[in-house]
Amino acid sequence: MLIGYDFARVIERATLGIMPPAYGGRVQVICDPSFPTAACGLDEEGELRVVFGVAHDEPLTPQRIEELTGMWIHELGHVFHTDFSVYQHAVREYGKCFGHILNALEDVRIEHKMPAFAETVNTRRAMQTLLSGMVRASDWDPEDEDKVPWTLA
């Protein structure tokens, strides 16, 4: 059975194969079970980091693999279409809550920009599986500013 560590290495290789040249071919996929979903961004040296909320030794069911694949597809949208410097500036200038709102708007924008890629890897099904799983496992609280993107979605 595939475990979190194996999934991360497969995603790392797959991401390297399709990354825009601007990232210089440096990517690190991290498993962090304390992380709620997934995220990506650039570190200080310009390396792309993708974090998944999965343990290294977590056995992955087919449904969990599809959820993680949905997260990866979504994060690739950021890799191809998000200007991380704009987001970082907004958070510094206007605060964390504004950053969450900006991210929610950016999520919609990037997902609309990915139709050709989306059709190739069956994104619609993977994203629906991801969303259903997230809602079932959610500790969503409309008063929690960290949940603003979910509230807006």
Side-chain angles (χ1 to χ4, degrees), residues 70-112:
M71 290 179 199
W72 174 63
I73 292 165
H74 172 84
E75 295 308 322
L76 282 179
H78 286 296
V79 170
F80 284 95
H81 302 293
T82 296
D83 184 338
F84 291 106
S85 66
V86 170
Y87 175 78
Q88 291 163 345
H89 171 76
V91 171
R92 278 193 311 272
E93 191 73 22
Y94 303 108
K96 184 178 175 182
C97 186
F98 183 79
H100 289 310
I101 294 168
L102 182 60
N103 185 61
L105 296 171
E106 181 68 358
D107 285 349
V108 173
R109 188 184 78 81
I110 64 166
E111 289 175 7
H112 283 290

Side-chain angles (χ1 to χ4, degrees), residues 16-98:
L16 275 170
I18 60 174
M19 278 176 51
Y23 292 102
R26 296 185 329 265
V27 63
Q28 181 180 18
V29 177
I30 301 163
C31 295
D32 181 351
S34 70
F35 206 78
T37 56
C40 71
L42 298 176
D43 69 8
E44 301 79 35
E45 288 82 42
E47 179 177 74
L48 176 67
R49 292 191 175 191
V50 183
V51 181
F52 287 100
V54 63
H56 282 248
D57 58 352
E58 178 184 330
L60 302 178
T61 64
Q63 179 171 342
R64 184 68 172 137
I65 291 169
E66 193 158 323
E67 289 171 357
L68 291 168
T69 301
M71 290 179 199
W72 174 63
I73 292 165
H74 172 84
E75 295 308 322
L76 282 179
H78 286 296
V79 170
F80 284 95
H81 302 293
T82 296
D83 184 338
F84 291 106
S85 66
V86 170
Y87 175 78
Q88 291 163 345
H89 171 76
V91 171
R92 278 193 311 272
E93 191 73 22
Y94 303 108
K96 184 178 175 182
C97 186
F98 183 79

Side-chain angles (χ1 to χ4, degrees), residues 120-138:
T120 305
V121 294
N122 199 6
T123 296
R124 182 180 305 273
R125 189 182 77 209
M127 295 299 285
Q128 286 172 339
T129 301
L130 168 63
L131 186 58
S132 297
M134 295 298 295
V135 169
R136 274 194 310 278
S138 176

Side-chain angles (χ1 to χ4, degrees), residues 10-25:
V10 168
I11 292 300
E12 205 166 74
R13 286 190 299 276
T15 304
L16 275 170
I18 60 174
M19 278 176 51
Y23 292 102

